[in-house]
């Protein structure tokens, strides 16, 4: 395969697949941009290190009450799990191929789980994880979270846009472009809603952006570089999991194929002159 063809294939994987591209460890195209004026620069302060299933290809992570829910990907290996953070799941449901598990969010007694390119979303019983129904989902499934105050779902598809959806039908209700310093922030992946803010993992990076969902403006950037040392990472082990701990200002962070999960607080960090963000399409 020629270098030109190889580059084209890698770029296509980045733009169309959060899961397949990460599985092959393809690097993201990046372009240097200066930190946006007024954008808070943060880093995770580790409060506790917990074990995590090193074979879990984490695609969705969320806490509801004291229960941690996790969705994992790869066709034939996808699952949804529930249990205490750092412990073996007390509930686990596997998904038959060709389903590829993606983002997850809890809505009281039920939860939604997206699939990558299978054209469906699955509603489950949050207590048993058993499947209740499937609805059509005509978009790539990546990240998913629930804004309770606004009673809407927020989804990502690997682009620079967040889509708002009806929590009962998943019908689109609108969207917003995510920007930092006037430039689109692409490759938005796993999501976590906290009030009117959305935290989004940025694919192929150790960065999380904090987004004002009303405007799409990035109000904070979290640099998690070094959270999991390079010598503990295997091929494809990228940061992709952020879950707010209810009733606190703490979060759980992990990634695809990470052997550890971290309970952290986001604290101020000096802002460097130049930031590396994924380039525009």
């Amino acid at each position: 395969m020629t270098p030109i063809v190889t580059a084209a294939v890698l770029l296509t994987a980045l733009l169309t697949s959060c899961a397949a591209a990460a599985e092959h460890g393809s690097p993201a195209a990046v372009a240097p941009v200066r930190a946006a004026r007024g954008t808070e620069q943060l880093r995770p302060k580790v409060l506790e290190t917990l074990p995590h299933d090193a074979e879990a290809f984490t695609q969705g992570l969320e806490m509801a009450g004291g229960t941690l829910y996790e969705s994992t990907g790869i066709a034939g290996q996808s699952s949804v799990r529930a249990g205490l953070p750092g412990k073996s799941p007390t509930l686990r449901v596997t998904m038959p191929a060709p389903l590829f598990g993606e983002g997850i969010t809890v809505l009281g007694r039920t939860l939604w789980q997206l699939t990558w390119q299978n054209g469906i979303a699955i509603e489950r019983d949050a207590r048993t994880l058993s499947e209740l129904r499937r609805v059509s989902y005509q978009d790539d499934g990546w990240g998913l979270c629930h804004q309770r105050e606004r009673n809407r779902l927020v989804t990502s598809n690997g682009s620079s846009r967040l889509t708002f959806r009806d929590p009962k039908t998943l019908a689109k209700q609108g969207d917003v472009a995510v920007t930092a310093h006037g430039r689109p922030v692409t490759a938005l992946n796993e999501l976590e809603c906290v009030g009117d803010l959305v935290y989004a993992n940025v694919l192929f990076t150790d960065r999380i952006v904090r987004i004002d969902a009303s405007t799409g403006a990035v109000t904070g950037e979290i640099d998690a570089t070094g959270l999991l040392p390079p010598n503990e990472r295997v091929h494809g082990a990228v940061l992709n999991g952020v879950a707010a701990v209810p009733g606190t200002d703490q979060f759980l962070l992990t990634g695809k194929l990470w052997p550890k999960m971290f309970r952290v607080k986001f604290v101020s960090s000096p802002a460097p002159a130049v930031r590396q963000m994924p380039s525009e399409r």
Side-chain angles (χ1 to χ4, degrees), residues 6 13 23 30 36 42-43 56 73 110 114 121 136-137 139 160 166 170 174 198 212 266 273:
T6 300
E23 180 183 2
V30 296
L42 303 164
R43 62 177 176 82
T110 63
L114 300 182
S136 175
Y137 192 83
D139 198 354
S160 61
D166 184 283
L170 271 66
V198 177
D212 182 335
F266 297 143

Side-chain angles (χ1 to χ4, degrees), residues 46-263:
V46 176
L47 305 176
E48 185 180 13
T49 300
L50 302 167
H52 179 252
D53 183 359
E55 296 184 356
F57 199 77
T58 306
Q59 301 290 71
L61 197 72
E62 184 166 300
M63 280 203 73
T67 301
L68 179 67
Y69 294 85
E70 183 171 7
S71 173
T72 70
I74 303 297
Q77 303 176 35
S78 294
S79 69
V80 57
R81 313 163 180 203
L84 296 175
K87 305 293 184 182
S88 297
T90 54
L91 293 172
R92 176 172 174 165
V93 175
T94 58
M95 303 169 67
L99 296 182
F100 196 124
E102 284 285 347
I104 194 171
T105 196
V106 180
L107 292 81
R109 296 182 179 181
T110 63
L111 65 84
W112 283 110
Q113 182 182 28
L114 300 182
T115 60
W116 175 35
Q117 293 182 326
N118 301 111
I120 62 167
I122 301 172
E123 186 178 36
R124 298 182 181 275
D125 186 311
R127 294 167 297 178
T128 66
L129 303 184
S130 55
E131 187 174 320
L132 300 176
R133 63 177 174 134
R134 299 183 179 187
V135 301
S136 175
Y137 192 83
Q138 299 305 310
D139 198 354
D140 281 8
W142 286 44
L144 170 66
C145 64
H146 179 219
Q147 289 189 311
R148 290 167 179 79
E149 295 81 359
R150 292 176 174 261
N151 192 33
R152 67 184 183 185
L153 301 179
V154 183
T155 63
S156 64
N157 64 3
S159 70
S160 61
R161 305 193 74 84
L162 295 178
T163 300
F164 307 122
R165 298 179 183 271
D166 184 283
K168 294 183 179 180
T169 66
L170 271 66
K172 291 184 179 180
Q173 297 179 326
D175 63 7
V176 67
V178 177
T179 60
H181 200 42
R183 296 187 58 179
V185 180
T186 59
L188 300 175
N189 202 355
E190 209 268 329
L191 305 177
E192 178 71 0
C193 292
V194 180
D196 203 41
L197 298 174
V198 177
Y199 292 79
N201 287 267
V202 180
L203 181 62
F204 294 126
T205 76
D206 284 326
R207 303 193 65 75
I208 297 168
V209 290
R210 187 184 67 200
I211 305 160
D212 182 335
S214 297
T215 65
V218 170
T219 64
E221 297 180 6
I222 299 106
D223 185 351
T225 301
L227 185 61
L228 185 72
N231 65 337
E232 295 187 50
R233 298 195 183 202
V234 298
H235 190 62
V238 297
L239 177 70
N240 195 47
V242 53
V245 179
T248 76
D249 59 353
Q250 302 169 12
F251 292 81
L252 295 175
L253 300 183
T254 192
K256 306 173 192 282
L257 311 177
W258 280 26
K260 295 176 181 176
M261 176 182 294
F262 302 90
R263 183 168 61 88

